[in-house]
Amino acid sequence: MTMEIVGNGFLARNLRPYADRHPDTVAVAAGVSWASGTSDADFAREAALLADVAVRCRATGRRLLFFSTAATGMYGAMDGPGREDSHIVPCTPYGAHKLALEQQLRASGADYLILRLGHLVGPGQPAHQLIPALIRQMREGDVRVQRDAARDLIDVRDVVTVIDRLLAQGLRGEIVNVASGVAVPVGHIVDHLEERLGLRVNRAYQDAGAQHDISIEKLRSLVPETAAMGFGPFYHRQVLDAFLASEGASSGA
């Protein structure tokens, strides 16, 4: 028996090489992955899917791995770094939806592990997500930048390594932030992409966006290997460089 992975998307594909290692787990890597999405129908389908999987897990004793969000919609209204034990008031429909799903799962009676993810970056991610969308805009010559927006970027390879370590510990009934711990202004992300791609683009600034930091204190204590992943103020550069290399882009392209 292997880990059951529900879904066929970006994260699901990256989890598959680890499936043999965690046969006691069902990972729900499906549902709404677009933070700008506000479709009630999509939200309802994800809630129904999670409920169905939770019933199965409760019956079989398997652990349900659920992917929530540590993005602005969840923690953006907080004064300090977003912690797993903080009182949360979501500030977007997406954040409210993910928090409601967490509460649904905790009340289901199934064993669970909830991971609140930062902004994953890696090969083959959906075109609507931040980095592919930015690069597409930049290649067209113009990019929209929310003046106050910042994003915690994390390489999907580091994410699945962290997931593997957390699952191996047999954690149950826990919520863990999985992020780099550094909120990078979107303008700085554009700066780095301009340099690596050899582009100069027109920027249309919008007076919008929010900056928040994600606490990874709990993650560091549970997964000491994160110390070697390079998390820090320049980590986003290696994440972006790895993504460009995977997509066949090069400096001066």
Side-chain angles (χ1 to χ4, degrees), residues 142-191:
D142 298 281
V143 64
R144 296 184 303 276
V145 179
Q146 293 185 345
R147 198 179 302 277
D148 298 322
R151 297 291 182 266
D152 187 313
L153 305 183
I154 184 168
D155 193 310
V156 70
R157 296 171 300 180
D158 291 335
V159 170
V160 294
T161 297
V162 164
I163 292 170
D164 178 51
R165 302 298 188 270
L166 290 171
L167 292 178
Q169 295 177 38
L171 292 179
R172 281 171 162 76
E174 296 281 356
I175 300 174
V176 184
N177 290 335
V178 178
S180 76
V182 176
V184 183
V186 173
H188 292 182
I189 295 172
V190 174
D191 290 343

Side-chain angles (χ1 to χ4, degrees), residues 73-158:
M74 184 70 78
Y75 286 136
M78 301 193 62
D79 291 334
R83 296 171 51 91
E84 296 87 347
D85 57 358
S86 300
H87 174 68
I88 296 172
V89 179
C91 56
T92 68
Y94 178 75
H97 166 67
K98 287 296 189 182
L99 184 60
L101 291 184
E102 291 184 13
Q103 294 165 343
Q104 172 184 317
L105 177 55
R106 293 168 70 182
S108 71
D111 284 340
Y112 66 85
L113 174 62
I114 295 170
L115 302 183
R116 291 178 179 163
L117 305 179
H119 284 262
L120 275 58
V121 180
Q125 70 182 116
H128 66 257
Q129 293 184 348
L130 177 67
I131 301 306
L134 275 179
I135 292 173
R136 184 173 62 254
Q137 290 179 39
M138 292 174 67
R139 290 194 183 282
E140 293 170 354
D142 298 281
V143 64
R144 296 184 303 276
V145 179
Q146 293 185 345
R147 198 179 302 277
D148 298 322
R151 297 291 182 266
D152 187 313
L153 305 183
I154 184 168
D155 193 310
V156 70
R157 296 171 300 180
D158 291 335

Side-chain angles (χ1 to χ4, degrees), residues 16 43 46 69 79 89 117 124 178 186 237 244 253:
R16 288 200 181 102
F43 288 166
E46 186 176 12
T69 183
D79 291 334
V89 179
L117 305 179
V178 178
V186 173
R237 297 179 182 176
L244 293 173

Side-chain angles (χ1 to χ4, degrees), residues 57 102 147 217 232 243:
C57 286
E102 291 184 13
R147 198 179 302 277
E217 181 180 351
F243 178 78

